[in-house]
Amino acid sequence: MESSPARSSSLERRRTRTSLRILVADDERDTVDALSFILRDEGHVVHTVYSGKDVLPAVSLNRPDVVIVDIGLPGMSGYAIAQAIRNSFTDLRRPLLIAITGLWKETPDRLVADRVGFDHHLVKPCKPSEVLGLLAPLCRTDA
């Protein structure tokens, strides 16, 4: 997915540290555990939730730099979560939103994900290098 100029300037303002605060939300515990392990191994601080209804309170409490969320979460869909986050934060503080999905992977699904506020859309099982590649621009390397 290409970045728009507005998203690029938002990215620049969010670039703050080499270690990111990341929220991983998925009802598949194996996905959460594997992704969390990889992210923590890279030095990031990771919080996890397993239900859609727990995502927004976790975002408010933890103020993550990145939210990785399954589109098909029970309790509140990833689409609704992305839209709520997009409407609740200024560009400066809005976390990078990454959708992960095993079901909603066709072009129309990607367009909906973009429209509701996701910055990126990955299909499960996603490669760790894909996720880390999306995070790399947020990490300041001159610190």
Side-chain angles (χ1 to χ4, degrees), residues 23-56:
L23 177 66
V24 179
D26 198 316
D27 58 325
E28 293 180 16
R29 290 188 182 267
D30 290 343
T31 298
V32 171
D33 292 345
L35 195 49
S36 296
F37 178 82
I38 292 163
L39 295 170
R40 285 185 180 115
D41 192 52
E42 290 291 316
H44 301 297
V45 176
V46 181
H47 298 277
T48 59
V49 296
Y50 304 98
S51 171
K53 67 179 178 56
D54 296 327
V55 176
L56 296 178

PDB file of all heavy atoms in Angstrom, residues 23-56:
ATOM      1  N   LEU A  23       0.795  -2.708  20.357  1.00  0.00           N
ATOM      2  CA  LEU A  23      -0.355  -3.488  20.816  1.00  0.00           C
ATOM      3  C   LEU A  23      -0.687  -4.505  19.731  1.00  0.00           C
ATOM      4  O   LEU A  23      -0.865  -4.137  18.564  1.00  0.00           O
ATOM      5  CB  LEU A  23      -1.561  -2.581  21.066  1.00  0.00           C
ATOM      6  CG  LEU A  23      -2.853  -3.291  21.472  1.00  0.00           C
ATOM      7  CD1 LEU A  23      -2.706  -3.958  22.831  1.00  0.00           C
ATOM      8  CD2 LEU A  23      -4.020  -2.321  21.472  1.00  0.00           C
ATOM      9  N   VAL A  24      -0.743  -5.773  20.111  1.00  0.00           N
ATOM     10  CA  VAL A  24      -1.110  -6.845  19.189  1.00  0.00           C
ATOM     11  C   VAL A  24      -2.472  -7.374  19.622  1.00  0.00           C
ATOM     12  O   VAL A  24      -2.645  -7.782  20.774  1.00  0.00           O
ATOM     13  CB  VAL A  24      -0.075  -7.994  19.191  1.00  0.00           C
ATOM     14  CG1 VAL A  24      -0.506  -9.108  18.245  1.00  0.00           C
ATOM     15  CG2 VAL A  24       1.307  -7.472  18.809  1.00  0.00           C
ATOM     16  N   ALA A  25      -3.432  -7.365  18.705  1.00  0.00           N
ATOM     17  CA  ALA A  25      -4.791  -7.800  19.008  1.00  0.00           C
ATOM     18  C   ALA A  25      -5.238  -8.862  18.003  1.00  0.00           C
ATOM     19  O   ALA A  25      -5.340  -8.598  16.814  1.00  0.00           O
ATOM     20  CB  ALA A  25      -5.749  -6.611  18.960  1.00  0.00           C
ATOM     21  N   ASP A  26      -5.472 -10.059  18.521  1.00  0.00           N
ATOM     22  CA  ASP A  26      -5.918 -11.167  17.676  1.00  0.00           C
ATOM     23  C   ASP A  26      -6.547 -12.208  18.589  1.00  0.00           C
ATOM     24  O   ASP A  26      -6.098 -12.388  19.718  1.00  0.00           O
ATOM     25  CB  ASP A  26      -4.730 -11.770  16.915  1.00  0.00           C
ATOM     26  CG  ASP A  26      -5.148 -12.604  15.720  1.00  0.00           C
ATOM     27  OD1 ASP A  26      -6.102 -13.411  15.851  1.00  0.00           O
ATOM     28  OD2 ASP A  26      -4.522 -12.468  14.657  1.00  0.00           O
ATOM     29  N   ASP A  27      -7.584 -12.883  18.112  1.00  0.00           N
ATOM     30  CA  ASP A  27      -8.207 -13.925  18.931  1.00  0.00           C
ATOM     31  C   ASP A  27      -7.486 -15.262  18.795  1.00  0.00           C
ATOM     32  O   ASP A  27      -7.758 -16.185  19.546  1.00  0.00           O
ATOM     33  CB  ASP A  27      -9.697 -14.081  18.601  1.00  0.00           C
ATOM     34  CG  ASP A  27      -9.960 -14.400  17.147  1.00  0.00           C
ATOM     35  OD1 ASP A  27      -9.224 -13.891  16.273  1.00  0.00           O
ATOM     36  OD2 ASP A  27     -10.906 -15.147  16.872  1.00  0.00           O
ATOM     37  N   GLU A  28      -6.527 -15.358  17.881  1.00  0.00           N
ATOM     38  CA  GLU A  28      -5.718 -16.566  17.745  1.00  0.00           C
ATOM     39  C   GLU A  28      -4.478 -16.400  18.615  1.00  0.00           C
ATOM     40  O   GLU A  28      -3.544 -15.678  18.264  1.00  0.00           O
ATOM     41  CB  GLU A  28      -5.325 -16.789  16.290  1.00  0.00           C
ATOM     42  CG  GLU A  28      -6.497 -17.106  15.397  1.00  0.00           C
ATOM     43  CD  GLU A  28      -6.094 -17.323  13.950  1.00  0.00           C
ATOM     44  OE1 GLU A  28      -4.893 -17.535  13.674  1.00  0.00           O
ATOM     45  OE2 GLU A  28      -6.978 -17.257  13.096  1.00  0.00           O
ATOM     46  N   ARG A  29      -4.478 -17.069  19.758  1.00  0.00           N
ATOM     47  CA  ARG A  29      -3.391 -16.905  20.734  1.00  0.00           C
ATOM     48  C   ARG A  29      -2.027 -17.270  20.162  1.00  0.00           C
ATOM     49  O   ARG A  29      -1.026 -16.642  20.500  1.00  0.00           O
ATOM     50  CB  ARG A  29      -3.687 -17.704  21.994  1.00  0.00           C
ATOM     51  CG  ARG A  29      -4.831 -17.091  22.777  1.00  0.00           C
ATOM     52  CD  ARG A  29      -5.036 -17.752  24.133  1.00  0.00           C
ATOM     53  NE  ARG A  29      -6.163 -17.147  24.801  1.00  0.00           N
ATOM     54  CZ  ARG A  29      -6.054 -16.127  25.663  1.00  0.00           C
ATOM     55  NH1 ARG A  29      -4.883 -15.630  25.940  1.00  0.00           N
ATOM     56  NH2 ARG A  29      -7.134 -15.633  26.237  1.00  0.00           N
ATOM     57  N   ASP A  30      -1.966 -18.264  19.285  1.00  0.00           N
ATOM     58  CA  ASP A  30      -0.690 -18.633  18.681  1.00  0.00           C
ATOM     59  C   ASP A  30      -0.116 -17.480  17.852  1.00  0.00           C
ATOM     60  O   ASP A  30       1.091 -17.225  17.873  1.00  0.00           O
ATOM     61  CB  ASP A  30      -0.824 -19.879  17.802  1.00  0.00           C
ATOM     62  CG  ASP A  30      -1.065 -21.137  18.612  1.00  0.00           C
ATOM     63  OD1 ASP A  30      -0.808 -21.121  19.830  1.00  0.00           O
ATOM     64  OD2 ASP A  30      -1.502 -22.146  18.013  1.00  0.00           O
ATOM     65  N   THR A  31      -0.976 -16.783  17.130  1.00  0.00           N
ATOM     66  CA  THR A  31      -0.542 -15.636  16.340  1.00  0.00           C
ATOM     67  C   THR A  31      -0.011 -14.542  17.252  1.00  0.00           C
ATOM     68  O   THR A  31       1.059 -13.976  17.020  1.00  0.00           O
ATOM     69  CB  THR A  31      -1.711 -15.089  15.487  1.00  0.00           C
ATOM     70  OG1 THR A  31      -2.142 -16.106  14.576  1.00  0.00           O
ATOM     71  CG2 THR A  31      -1.299 -13.849  14.715  1.00  0.00           C
ATOM     72  N   VAL A  32      -0.754 -14.245  18.308  1.00  0.00           N
ATOM     73  CA  VAL A  32      -0.341 -13.213  19.268  1.00  0.00           C
ATOM     74  C   VAL A  32       0.985 -13.588  19.920  1.00  0.00           C
ATOM     75  O   VAL A  32       1.906 -12.769  20.004  1.00  0.00           O
ATOM     76  CB  VAL A  32      -1.435 -12.987  20.337  1.00  0.00           C
ATOM     77  CG1 VAL A  32      -0.932 -12.087  21.454  1.00  0.00           C
ATOM     78  CG2 VAL A  32      -2.689 -12.411  19.705  1.00  0.00           C
ATOM     79  N   ASP A  33       1.092 -14.840  20.374  1.00  0.00           N
ATOM     80  CA  ASP A  33       2.313 -15.279  21.060  1.00  0.00           C
ATOM     81  C   ASP A  33       3.534 -15.218  20.142  1.00  0.00           C
ATOM     82  O   ASP A  33       4.589 -14.727  20.540  1.00  0.00           O
ATOM     83  CB  ASP A  33       2.144 -16.701  21.600  1.00  0.00           C
ATOM     84  CG  ASP A  33       1.134 -16.785  22.739  1.00  0.00           C
ATOM     85  OD1 ASP A  33       0.766 -15.734  23.305  1.00  0.00           O
ATOM     86  OD2 ASP A  33       0.704 -17.911  23.049  1.00  0.00           O
ATOM     87  N   ALA A  34       3.392 -15.695  18.927  1.00  0.00           N
ATOM     88  CA  ALA A  34       4.526 -15.714  17.992  1.00  0.00           C
ATOM     89  C   ALA A  34       4.948 -14.286  17.624  1.00  0.00           C
ATOM     90  O   ALA A  34       6.140 -13.954  17.661  1.00  0.00           O
ATOM     91  CB  ALA A  34       4.158 -16.496  16.736  1.00  0.00           C
ATOM     92  N   LEU A  35       3.985 -13.458  17.294  1.00  0.00           N
ATOM     93  CA  LEU A  35       4.288 -12.082  16.912  1.00  0.00           C
ATOM     94  C   LEU A  35       4.882 -11.304  18.091  1.00  0.00           C
ATOM     95  O   LEU A  35       5.862 -10.570  17.940  1.00  0.00           O
ATOM     96  CB  LEU A  35       3.017 -11.408  16.392  1.00  0.00           C
ATOM     97  CG  LEU A  35       3.167 -10.110  15.630  1.00  0.00           C
ATOM     98  CD1 LEU A  35       4.212 -10.191  14.530  1.00  0.00           C
ATOM     99  CD2 LEU A  35       1.817  -9.707  15.048  1.00  0.00           C
ATOM    100  N   SER A  36       4.328 -11.505  19.267  1.00  0.00           N
ATOM    101  CA  SER A  36       4.834 -10.831  20.467  1.00  0.00           C
ATOM    102  C   SER A  36       6.276 -11.238  20.759  1.00  0.00           C
ATOM    103  O   SER A  36       7.111 -10.401  21.107  1.00  0.00           O
ATOM    104  CB  SER A  36       3.958 -11.155  21.672  1.00  0.00           C
ATOM    105  OG  SER A  36       2.663 -10.648  21.484  1.00  0.00           O
ATOM    106  N   PHE A  37       6.561 -12.518  20.627  1.00  0.00           N
ATOM    107  CA  PHE A  37       7.925 -13.010  20.865  1.00  0.00           C
ATOM    108  C   PHE A  37       8.917 -12.333  19.922  1.00  0.00           C
ATOM    109  O   PHE A  37       9.974 -11.860  20.338  1.00  0.00           O
ATOM    110  CB  PHE A  37       7.981 -14.532  20.700  1.00  0.00           C
ATOM    111  CG  PHE A  37       9.362 -15.086  20.880  1.00  0.00           C
ATOM    112  CD1 PHE A  37       9.870 -15.318  22.148  1.00  0.00           C
ATOM    113  CD2 PHE A  37      10.161 -15.362  19.776  1.00  0.00           C
ATOM    114  CE1 PHE A  37      11.171 -15.807  22.312  1.00  0.00           C
ATOM    115  CE2 PHE A  37      11.448 -15.850  19.927  1.00  0.00           C
ATOM    116  CZ  PHE A  37      11.956 -16.069  21.210  1.00  0.00           C
ATOM    117  N   ILE A  38       8.570 -12.267  18.655  1.00  0.00           N
ATOM    118  CA  ILE A  38       9.448 -11.662  17.648  1.00  0.00           C
ATOM    119  C   ILE A  38       9.655 -10.176  17.941  1.00  0.00           C
ATOM    120  O   ILE A  38      10.783  -9.673  17.906  1.00  0.00           O
ATOM    121  CB  ILE A  38       8.872 -11.873  16.235  1.00  0.00           C
ATOM    122  CG1 ILE A  38       8.942 -13.353  15.864  1.00  0.00           C
ATOM    123  CG2 ILE A  38       9.582 -11.002  15.208  1.00  0.00           C
ATOM    124  CD1 ILE A  38       8.056 -13.746  14.705  1.00  0.00           C
ATOM    125  N   LEU A  39       8.570  -9.488  18.248  1.00  0.00           N
ATOM    126  CA  LEU A  39       8.665  -8.050  18.505  1.00  0.00           C
ATOM    127  C   LEU A  39       9.453  -7.745  19.769  1.00  0.00           C
ATOM    128  O   LEU A  39      10.263  -6.815  19.798  1.00  0.00           O
ATOM    129  CB  LEU A  39       7.258  -7.444  18.578  1.00  0.00           C
ATOM    130  CG  LEU A  39       6.464  -7.497  17.269  1.00  0.00           C
ATOM    131  CD1 LEU A  39       5.015  -7.114  17.513  1.00  0.00           C
ATOM    132  CD2 LEU A  39       7.107  -6.620  16.206  1.00  0.00           C
ATOM    133  N   ARG A  40       9.232  -8.533  20.816  1.00  0.00           N
ATOM    134  CA  ARG A  40      10.003  -8.334  22.059  1.00  0.00           C
ATOM    135  C   ARG A  40      11.479  -8.640  21.829  1.00  0.00           C
ATOM    136  O   ARG A  40      12.348  -7.962  22.376  1.00  0.00           O
ATOM    137  CB  ARG A  40       9.426  -9.211  23.168  1.00  0.00           C
ATOM    138  CG  ARG A  40       8.132  -8.675  23.720  1.00  0.00           C
ATOM    139  CD  ARG A  40       7.630  -9.487  24.915  1.00  0.00           C
ATOM    140  NE  ARG A  40       6.392  -8.917  25.397  1.00  0.00           N
ATOM    141  CZ  ARG A  40       5.211  -9.534  25.370  1.00  0.00           C
ATOM    142  NH1 ARG A  40       5.116 -10.778  24.917  1.00  0.00           N
ATOM    143  NH2 ARG A  40       4.132  -8.925  25.814  1.00  0.00           N
ATOM    144  N   ASP A  41      11.745  -9.654  21.026  1.00  0.00           N
ATOM    145  CA  ASP A  41      13.121 -10.008  20.711  1.00  0.00           C
ATOM    146  C   ASP A  41      13.834  -8.865  19.981  1.00  0.00           C
ATOM    147  O   ASP A  41      15.047  -8.713  20.092  1.00  0.00           O
ATOM    148  CB  ASP A  41      13.155 -11.288  19.868  1.00  0.00           C
ATOM    149  CG  ASP A  41      14.547 -11.874  19.759  1.00  0.00           C
ATOM    150  OD1 ASP A  41      15.193 -12.074  20.804  1.00  0.00           O
ATOM    151  OD2 ASP A  41      14.992 -12.117  18.609  1.00  0.00           O
ATOM    152  N   GLU A  42      13.080  -8.054  19.261  1.00  0.00           N
ATOM    153  CA  GLU A  42      13.626  -6.887  18.562  1.00  0.00           C
ATOM    154  C   GLU A  42      13.749  -5.682  19.492  1.00  0.00           C
ATOM    155  O   GLU A  42      14.181  -4.611  19.064  1.00  0.00           O
ATOM    156  CB  GLU A  42      12.738  -6.525  17.363  1.00  0.00           C
ATOM    157  CG  GLU A  42      12.799  -7.519  16.239  1.00  0.00           C
ATOM    158  CD  GLU A  42      14.147  -7.515  15.529  1.00  0.00           C
ATOM    159  OE1 GLU A  42      14.690  -6.426  15.252  1.00  0.00           O
ATOM    160  OE2 GLU A  42      14.666  -8.615  15.244  1.00  0.00           O
ATOM    161  N   GLY A  43      13.323  -5.832  20.753  1.00  0.00           N
ATOM    162  CA  GLY A  43      13.472  -4.755  21.729  1.00  0.00           C
ATOM    163  C   GLY A  43      12.251  -3.894  21.939  1.00  0.00           C
ATOM    164  O   GLY A  43      12.312  -2.886  22.649  1.00  0.00           O
ATOM    165  N   HIS A  44      11.123  -4.273  21.354  1.00  0.00           N
ATOM    166  CA  HIS A  44       9.908  -3.475  21.498  1.00  0.00           C
ATOM    167  C   HIS A  44       9.135  -3.886  22.752  1.00  0.00           C
ATOM    168  O   HIS A  44       9.267  -5.006  23.243  1.00  0.00           O
ATOM    169  CB  HIS A  44       9.024  -3.640  20.259  1.00  0.00           C
ATOM    170  CG  HIS A  44       9.721  -3.228  18.998  1.00  0.00           C
ATOM    171  ND1 HIS A  44      10.138  -1.934  18.770  1.00  0.00           N
ATOM    172  CD2 HIS A  44      10.099  -3.943  17.908  1.00  0.00           C
ATOM    173  CE1 HIS A  44      10.732  -1.867  17.587  1.00  0.00           C
ATOM    174  NE2 HIS A  44      10.721  -3.078  17.048  1.00  0.00           N
ATOM    175  N   VAL A  45       8.323  -2.957  23.256  1.00  0.00           N
ATOM    176  CA  VAL A  45       7.445  -3.218  24.396  1.00  0.00           C
ATOM    177  C   VAL A  45       6.099  -3.626  23.808  1.00  0.00           C
ATOM    178  O   VAL A  45       5.492  -2.866  23.045  1.00  0.00           O
ATOM    179  CB  VAL A  45       7.292  -1.962  25.276  1.00  0.00           C
ATOM    180  CG1 VAL A  45       6.303  -2.217  26.395  1.00  0.00           C
ATOM    181  CG2 VAL A  45       8.643  -1.517  25.804  1.00  0.00           C
ATOM    182  N   VAL A  46       5.640  -4.830  24.145  1.00  0.00           N
ATOM    183  CA  VAL A  46       4.442  -5.381  23.511  1.00  0.00           C
ATOM    184  C   VAL A  46       3.352  -5.635  24.544  1.00  0.00           C
ATOM    185  O   VAL A  46       3.604  -6.223  25.594  1.00  0.00           O
ATOM    186  CB  VAL A  46       4.771  -6.695  22.768  1.00  0.00           C
ATOM    187  CG1 VAL A  46       3.528  -7.255  22.081  1.00  0.00           C
ATOM    188  CG2 VAL A  46       5.893  -6.471  21.757  1.00  0.00           C
ATOM    189  N   HIS A  47       2.141  -5.173  24.223  1.00  0.00           N
ATOM    190  CA  HIS A  47       0.947  -5.479  25.007  1.00  0.00           C
ATOM    191  C   HIS A  47       0.029  -6.292  24.101  1.00  0.00           C
ATOM    192  O   HIS A  47       0.040  -6.116  22.880  1.00  0.00           O
ATOM    193  CB  HIS A  47       0.247  -4.201  25.452  1.00  0.00           C
ATOM    194  CG  HIS A  47       1.109  -3.354  26.330  1.00  0.00           C
ATOM    195  ND1 HIS A  47       1.243  -3.575  27.678  1.00  0.00           N
ATOM    196  CD2 HIS A  47       1.908  -2.307  26.038  1.00  0.00           C
ATOM    197  CE1 HIS A  47       2.081  -2.697  28.180  1.00  0.00           C
ATOM    198  NE2 HIS A  47       2.504  -1.909  27.209  1.00  0.00           N
ATOM    199  N   THR A  48      -0.750  -7.182  24.695  1.00  0.00           N
ATOM    200  CA  THR A  48      -1.608  -8.049  23.889  1.00  0.00           C
ATOM    201  C   THR A  48      -3.036  -8.053  24.405  1.00  0.00           C
ATOM    202  O   THR A  48      -3.273  -7.894  25.604  1.00  0.00           O
ATOM    203  CB  THR A  48      -1.082  -9.496  23.893  1.00  0.00           C
ATOM    204  OG1 THR A  48      -1.047  -9.980  25.238  1.00  0.00           O
ATOM    205  CG2 THR A  48       0.318  -9.577  23.296  1.00  0.00           C
ATOM    206  N   VAL A  49      -3.969  -8.220  23.482  1.00  0.00           N
ATOM    207  CA  VAL A  49      -5.379  -8.444  23.814  1.00  0.00           C
ATOM    208  C   VAL A  49      -5.924  -9.471  22.832  1.00  0.00           C
ATOM    209  O   VAL A  49      -5.383  -9.654  21.738  1.00  0.00           O
ATOM    210  CB  VAL A  49      -6.222  -7.146  23.782  1.00  0.00           C
ATOM    211  CG1 VAL A  49      -5.760  -6.159  24.846  1.00  0.00           C
ATOM    212  CG2 VAL A  49      -6.211  -6.494  22.423  1.00  0.00           C
ATOM    213  N   TYR A  50      -6.999 -10.120  23.226  1.00  0.00           N
ATOM    214  CA  TYR A  50      -7.542 -11.220  22.426  1.00  0.00           C
ATOM    215  C   TYR A  50      -8.984 -10.996  21.972  1.00  0.00           C
ATOM    216  O   TYR A  50      -9.583 -11.877  21.373  1.00  0.00           O
ATOM    217  CB  TYR A  50      -7.455 -12.527  23.231  1.00  0.00           C
ATOM    218  CG  TYR A  50      -6.044 -12.822  23.679  1.00  0.00           C
ATOM    219  CD1 TYR A  50      -5.620 -12.506  24.960  1.00  0.00           C
ATOM    220  CD2 TYR A  50      -5.120 -13.393  22.810  1.00  0.00           C
ATOM    221  CE1 TYR A  50      -4.316 -12.761  25.370  1.00  0.00           C
ATOM    222  CE2 TYR A  50      -3.823 -13.646  23.201  1.00  0.00           C
ATOM    223  CZ  TYR A  50      -3.420 -13.324  24.486  1.00  0.00           C
ATOM    224  OH  TYR A  50      -2.128 -13.565  24.879  1.00  0.00           O
ATOM    225  N   SER A  51      -9.527  -9.821  22.264  1.00  0.00           N
ATOM    226  CA  SER A  51     -10.908  -9.524  21.911  1.00  0.00           C
ATOM    227  C   SER A  51     -11.017  -8.085  21.428  1.00  0.00           C
ATOM    228  O   SER A  51     -10.320  -7.198  21.946  1.00  0.00           O
ATOM    229  CB  SER A  51     -11.810  -9.722  23.139  1.00  0.00           C
ATOM    230  OG  SER A  51     -13.106  -9.252  22.882  1.00  0.00           O
ATOM    231  N   GLY A  52     -11.879  -7.858  20.470  1.00  0.00           N
ATOM    232  CA  GLY A  52     -12.067  -6.515  19.940  1.00  0.00           C
ATOM    233  C   GLY A  52     -12.481  -5.496  20.977  1.00  0.00           C
ATOM    234  O   GLY A  52     -12.046  -4.349  20.942  1.00  0.00           O
ATOM    235  N   LYS A  53     -13.289  -5.913  21.930  1.00  0.00           N
ATOM    236  CA  LYS A  53     -13.766  -4.970  22.953  1.00  0.00           C
ATOM    237  C   LYS A  53     -12.655  -4.507  23.887  1.00  0.00           C
ATOM    238  O   LYS A  53     -12.790  -3.492  24.564  1.00  0.00           O
ATOM    239  CB  LYS A  53     -14.914  -5.579  23.755  1.00  0.00           C
ATOM    240  CG  LYS A  53     -14.518  -6.758  24.623  1.00  0.00           C
ATOM    241  CD  LYS A  53     -15.700  -7.303  25.405  1.00  0.00           C
ATOM    242  CE  LYS A  53     -15.333  -8.504  26.227  1.00  0.00           C
ATOM    243  NZ  LYS A  53     -14.232  -8.322  27.154  1.00  0.00           N
ATOM    244  N   ASP A  54     -11.535  -5.209  23.900  1.00  0.00           N
ATOM    245  CA  ASP A  54     -10.413  -4.838  24.771  1.00  0.00           C
ATOM    246  C   ASP A  54      -9.392  -3.927  24.096  1.00  0.00           C
ATOM    247  O   ASP A  54      -8.496  -3.400  24.759  1.00  0.00           O
ATOM    248  CB  ASP A  54      -9.704  -6.102  25.260  1.00  0.00           C
ATOM    249  CG  ASP A  54     -10.599  -6.974  26.121  1.00  0.00           C
ATOM    250  OD1 ASP A  54     -11.461  -6.420  26.840  1.00  0.00           O
ATOM    251  OD2 ASP A  54     -10.451  -8.212  26.068  1.00  0.00           O
ATOM    252  N   VAL A  55      -9.513  -3.726  22.791  1.00  0.00           N
ATOM    253  CA  VAL A  55      -8.490  -2.970  22.066  1.00  0.00           C
ATOM    254  C   VAL A  55      -8.497  -1.491  22.428  1.00  0.00           C
ATOM    255  O   VAL A  55      -7.461  -0.926  22.783  1.00  0.00           O
ATOM    256  CB  VAL A  55      -8.632  -3.155  20.537  1.00  0.00           C
ATOM    257  CG1 VAL A  55      -7.634  -2.278  19.793  1.00  0.00           C
ATOM    258  CG2 VAL A  55      -8.441  -4.608  20.155  1.00  0.00           C
ATOM    259  N   LEU A  56      -9.639  -0.825  22.325  1.00  0.00           N
ATOM    260  CA  LEU A  56      -9.664   0.620  22.570  1.00  0.00           C
ATOM    261  C   LEU A  56      -9.252   0.984  23.992  1.00  0.00           C
ATOM    262  O   LEU A  56      -8.475   1.937  24.169  1.00  0.00           O
ATOM    263  CB  LEU A  56     -11.029   1.206  22.198  1.00  0.00           C
ATOM    264  CG  LEU A  56     -11.385   1.087  20.705  1.00  0.00           C
ATOM    265  CD1 LEU A  56     -12.771   1.652  20.435  1.00  0.00           C
ATOM    266  CD2 LEU A  56     -10.342   1.759  19.837  1.00  0.00           C
TER     267      LEU A  56
END
